[in-house]
Amino acid sequence: MTARTATCACGRLRVACEGEPARVSVCHCHACQRRTGSVFGVAARYPREKVAIEGEATEYVRIGDEGNEVRFRFCPTCGSTVCWEMPAFNDGIAVAVGGFADPGYTPHPVRSIYDASRRHAWVDIKVPVERRG
Amino acid sequence: MTRIAACDCGKLRAVCEGEPVRVSVCHCLECQKRTGSVFGVSARYPKDKVRAEGPSRRYSRVADSGFKVTFDFCPTCGTTVHWHLDQFPDVTAVAVGAFADRDFPAPAFSVSERRRHSWVAVAGDAVQHKE
């Protein structure tokens, strides 16, 4: 079985993931833009029991557009957010794809959220994705 | 023109006057880990055109160039809003995503493309692509 580890920039916060993610998606919303400092976020959603979080993390809770709580974990030393959860949904744990530091990471995204309203026009997603909002 | 970059929770802000001197995308693995996205996007401003407000925590690392880079991030939400490069002491780099503005000037450079995820590219006729 595939085992991959996502880490923060300094390496102290690590998220070990077993197997394949249920889904990879891109989100262009303003909160993902601010949080990443990039112009979109990329999340790989794994079943909770396939993920082990190692190292110290600070939790940051944000209330999403639809009133749901999102709980992010970031490294207190370097600031990288490595994973997050939405407890209202039994939808696993989202891992920041950049944390894997693997340009060959698969699967590729299948969804692009806030694509019409928030995507910077120069971002060219070259694979077929379901585009929303 | 004044633009304000802010972290997700809004406590750390960078107030930027005028236009950035360079906007670039970087696909390097360090930018991937820092952002959690698959590339970083930075807008460089003259240092005296950027005013930081709010508490920040600093993280430094040595870049591939051998020069130190020092990032300022929000201790509450983790967002890195701006950073300084010892290699270019007169500029402040600001995270473009923190402006939350799709009309922010588009990048003219896309660097470390050897690390680019194949499913996404930086579009634009004038963009300079560097390996």
Side-chain angles (χ1 to χ4, degrees):
Chain A
M1 184 179 278
T2 311
R4 294 182 276 209
T5 300
T7 76
C8 62
C10 75
R12 288 179 175 84
L13 176 58
R14 302 159 60 83
V15 178
C17 307
E18 274 185 34
E20 295 301 318
R23 180 173 78 243
V24 176
S25 51
V26 170
C27 180
H28 306 268
C29 81
H30 283 168
C32 282
Q33 293 192 30
R34 291 191 195 277
R35 178 177 60 75
T36 62
S38 184
V39 292
F40 54 77
V42 193
R45 217 167 278 281
Y46 285 85
R48 189 66 188 83
E49 68 276 12
K50 298 293 186 186
V51 173
I53 300 170
E54 301 157 7
E56 193 187 344
T58 300
E59 195 170 70
Y60 166 61
V61 179
R62 178 169 72 69
I63 306 301
D65 289 347
E66 281 136 30
N68 297 302
E69 189 180 272
V70 191
R71 307 182 83 87
F72 297 92
R73 286 188 177 91
F74 69 90
C75 171
T77 298
C78 71
S80 305
T81 293
V82 185
C83 62
W84 59 96
E85 289 173 271
M86 293 175 70
F89 295 91
N90 187 18
D91 204 17
I93 185 158
V95 182
V97 165
F100 293 107
D102 176 10
Y105 183 92
T106 53
H108 291 161
V110 293
R111 271 186 202 171
S112 179
I113 303 162
Y114 288 97
D115 188 283
S117 58
R118 304 289 197 216
R119 181 172 51 81
H120 288 238
W122 53 266
V123 173
D124 180 13
I125 296 178
K126 305 183 82 67
V127 292
V129 285
E130 177 196 348
R131 294 177 191 262
R132 294 187 181 180
Chain B
M1 182 172 195
T2 300
R3 295 184 179 95
I4 299 174
C7 66
D8 192 35
C9 74
K11 293 186 174 75
L12 176 61
R13 297 147 57 90
V15 181
C16 305
E17 301 290 346
E19 293 304 310
V21 293
R22 174 190 163 108
V23 180
S24 57
V25 168
C26 180
H27 304 267
C28 83
L29 299 184
E30 295 300 326
C31 282
Q32 293 190 28
K33 285 187 283 187
R34 177 177 59 77
T35 63
S37 185
V38 292
F39 53 68
V41 193
S42 74
R44 287 187 197 166
Y45 285 85
K47 202 172 187 174
D48 61 354
K49 299 294 185 188
V50 179
R51 187 178 78 248
E53 298 174 347
S56 71
R57 195 174 289 161
R58 289 206 160 140
Y59 168 65
S60 293
R61 68 173 175 82
V62 176
D64 290 348
S65 60
F67 289 91
K68 194 169 82 170
V69 190
T70 303
F71 299 90
D72 282 74
F73 67 93
C74 172
T76 299
C77 71
T79 303
T80 293
V81 176
H82 59 96
W83 58 96
H84 292 97
L85 308 113
D86 280 7
Q87 190 176 7
F88 304 106
D90 299 329
V91 303
T92 298
V94 182
V96 166
F99 293 102
D101 174 10
R102 67 184 307 188
D103 296 323
F104 193 85
F109 299 91
S110 177
V111 307
S112 293
E113 286 232 344
R114 65 187 179 282
R115 306 294 198 194
R116 182 173 60 84
H117 287 240
S118 63
W119 55 265
V120 65
V122 177
D125 294 341
V127 176
Q128 291 186 39
H129 300 269
K130 299 182 180 179
E131 278 297 296

